[in-house]
Each structure stands twice: as C-alpha cells, then as structure tokens.
Amino acid sequence: MKRFLLFYCLCISFFVCSQTISGVVVSEEDHPISKVLIVNMSSNQKVYTDNFGNFSIAGKMGDELRFAKEKYKGERIKTNNDLLKVILQQLPQEIEEVKIVNKSISHSKEEELRTAIGLPKGPEKPREKPADAVDDIVKPLIRIPPMVNVQAIYDVVSGKSKRLRRFYKYEDLQEGLAWIQNNIDIEYFEEAGISPEKFNDFLMFSLKDEKVLMYMKAKNIGGLTVSLDNHIGAYLKRIGKK
C-alpha cells in the first residue's frame, strides 16, 4: 500500500511539473497572429506562435505569461486553465504621406529596414535643417542658371551643420531613452537578469542594432520588446552573467 501511495504521489508530481499550457493568439478581428513572443515569467521559457497563432509552453496554473509582437500592444495573463485564447490589440499606425523622393534616398539602408519591418515614418520635428554640401551647395551650382547658397557654404565650412546633426541625434536619443523607460516592462528584463541600474547600459548595447533604433524612433513598444529580447543573452554574456 505504501509503495502504491508513493508511486501515486510521484505520478501526480510528474504530471504537475510537466504540465503544458496551450492556446492561440488572435487579433481583435479574430485573425490568428504568428510569431508572437510568449514568455513564462516563472521559468523564463520563451516560445513563438506558429503560422496559425497556436502555441504550447511548459507551465502550471497561476503562471504569468507575457505576449509581445510588433505593431501590437503587449499583454500579460495569469493562467487559470491550460487552453488560452489571447487577444492582442493592434497599435494605431500613422499613414505616411505619399511623396516623390530621390531614388538613392528611398533605397537607403534606413528606408529599406523601415519598410521591411512595416513601420511608418515618424512625424518631422520643426527643426532648422542642417545644410548639406551636396544638396545645398553642389547641386545648386550645376543648375542652369547656377545658384550660390552663401548661408549653406558658411554653415558647412564653419561646422554648424555638423554640430546641429550631432545635437539632434543626441536630443532624439535622450527622448527615446526616456520614452522607453516610461513604457517598457522593466520587470520583464529584471527577471531575465538585467538589474534596473544596468538597464540603460543594456539599452545602449542593444541600440547598436538598427532595428532596435528604428522601433524606438517609431515608438513601437511591441516590436521594441521583441527586438530587445533578442539581445538579452549577448548582453548577459558580455557582463559575465552567463
């Protein structure tokens, strides 16, 4: 009888420990969403939904699951059954004005990346445009009739244009970092091993990835979370935690 009870307890323990939580992730229109990042905060296990929005992840009742996907608002759910239906709310996207642009600009690396990940261009700030040696000096000179832009020549030669670009880059970075701090789920990264005092350092490390930078500029929290998640392992290895 004792052996039977011991065997029974072991079976129950094995069942509890090996429980799987499954479900599907859909949009508000009930369309399945693929490639959604799902993290079990109790075990830090990560999976992605398949092409039909389905997922399975090891866990137990009461575990907290978090969901992140580009263009969607993040979601967190405490599991109360082993079959879930999770609805992600799509973030509003700005419709970009159609413009005729120079071919070399439209095929620049930044433009290609922005198009590839489906991000709209952020609104332009009312800033003084730094003079450009080619666009504002050389091109006007080869027109018919030629034009001399004295102010542009002064701005380029004096270094004013370069200082303005540097300042705008710094200003955008600080604004972006502040936005991330106010909107990202810091607890998620803390539980992954990145302490709050190391979070800014982690951000600077991750921002070397142009995709992370693009999501920050577009203020896309879902895409940013997924992209930052891809850099956790490399960062922990760099600071000697793995």
Side-chain angles (χ1 to χ4, degrees), residues 38-52:
I38 302 157
V39 183
N40 186 327
M41 299 306 293
S42 299
S43 62
N44 202 35
Q45 184 182 356
K46 302 169 187 176
V47 297
Y48 285 86
T49 56
D50 63 18
N51 291 336
F52 304 101

Side-chain angles (χ1 to χ4, degrees), residues 207-220:
L207 283 168
K208 295 172 186 175
D209 180 351
E210 290 187 16
K211 187 178 282 190
V212 175
L213 185 63
M214 196 73 69
Y215 280 125
M216 181 186 77
K217 287 180 179 178
K219 291 183 168 51
N220 186 312

Side-chain angles (χ1 to χ4, degrees), residues 2-222:
K2 288 182 179 179
R3 287 182 181 179
F4 174 77
L5 288 173
L6 178 61
F7 177 74
Y8 179 77
C9 290
L10 287 173
C11 288
I12 293 296
S13 299
F14 177 78
F15 175 77
V16 171
C17 293
S18 62
Q19 187 175 353
T20 298
I21 298 168
S22 301
V24 62
V25 181
V26 298
S27 66
E28 293 172 291
E29 294 79 26
D30 208 34
H31 298 144
I33 308 175
S34 63
K35 296 182 181 177
V36 177
L37 171 67
I38 302 157
V39 183
N40 186 327
M41 299 306 293
S42 299
S43 62
N44 202 35
Q45 184 182 356
K46 302 169 187 176
V47 297
Y48 285 86
T49 56
D50 63 18
N51 291 336
F52 304 101
N54 299 312
F55 69 91
S56 289
I57 189 168
K60 59 186 184 299
M61 295 304 102
D63 282 356
E64 181 180 299
L65 301 184
R66 299 194 186 178
F67 301 78
K69 168 73 176 175
E70 304 96 312
K71 304 179 186 177
Y72 290 87
K73 185 179 179 181
E75 185 64 84
R76 56 172 72 185
I77 289 177
K78 286 269 189 181
T79 57
N80 53 18
N81 59 64
D82 57 0
L83 189 60
L84 300 174
K85 182 175 182 179
V86 181
I87 300 173
L88 293 188
Q89 179 183 351
Q90 191 163 16
L91 294 170
Q93 298 291 313
E94 294 178 15
I95 299 175
E96 191 175 349
E97 181 183 353
V98 176
K99 297 178 183 177
I100 298 174
V101 294
N102 184 288
K103 187 176 180 181
S104 63
I105 296 175
S106 65
H107 289 283
S108 67
K109 193 171 183 181
E110 181 174 334
E111 186 74 11
E112 285 180 0
L113 178 60
R114 187 180 63 78
T115 303
I117 59 181
L119 290 177
K121 188 178 284 186
E124 294 290 333
K125 293 182 179 179
R127 288 171 165 172
E128 178 184 350
K129 180 183 177 293
D132 181 79
V134 175
D135 290 339
D136 299 312
I137 299 175
V138 176
K139 286 183 179 179
L141 282 173
I142 60 177
R143 287 176 186 163
I144 299 175
M147 293 177 60
V148 177
N149 190 331
V150 178
Q151 184 62 50
I153 294 172
Y154 171 79
D155 288 350
V156 171
V157 173
S158 68
K160 178 184 175 183
S161 295
K162 189 178 286 185
R163 288 193 298 273
L164 269 180
R165 288 192 187 92
R166 247 190 248 130
F167 173 72
Y168 292 156
K169 188 175 181 181
Y170 173 80
E171 188 179 55
D172 288 342
L173 177 61
Q174 295 306 309
E175 181 183 300
L177 290 174
W179 175 80
I180 292 174
Q181 291 279 7
N182 290 330
N183 291 276
I184 204 76
D185 188 352
I186 302 288
E187 183 187 343
Y188 168 71
F189 294 95
E190 186 176 2
E191 292 183 10
I194 299 170
S195 60
E197 58 269 18
K198 286 283 187 182
F199 187 68
N200 259 351
D201 184 54
F202 167 66
L203 286 180
M204 297 307 295
F205 172 82
S206 303
L207 283 168
K208 295 172 186 175
D209 180 351
E210 290 187 16
K211 187 178 282 190
V212 175
L213 185 63
M214 196 73 69
Y215 280 125
M216 181 186 77
K217 287 180 179 178
K219 291 183 168 51
N220 186 312
I221 201 67

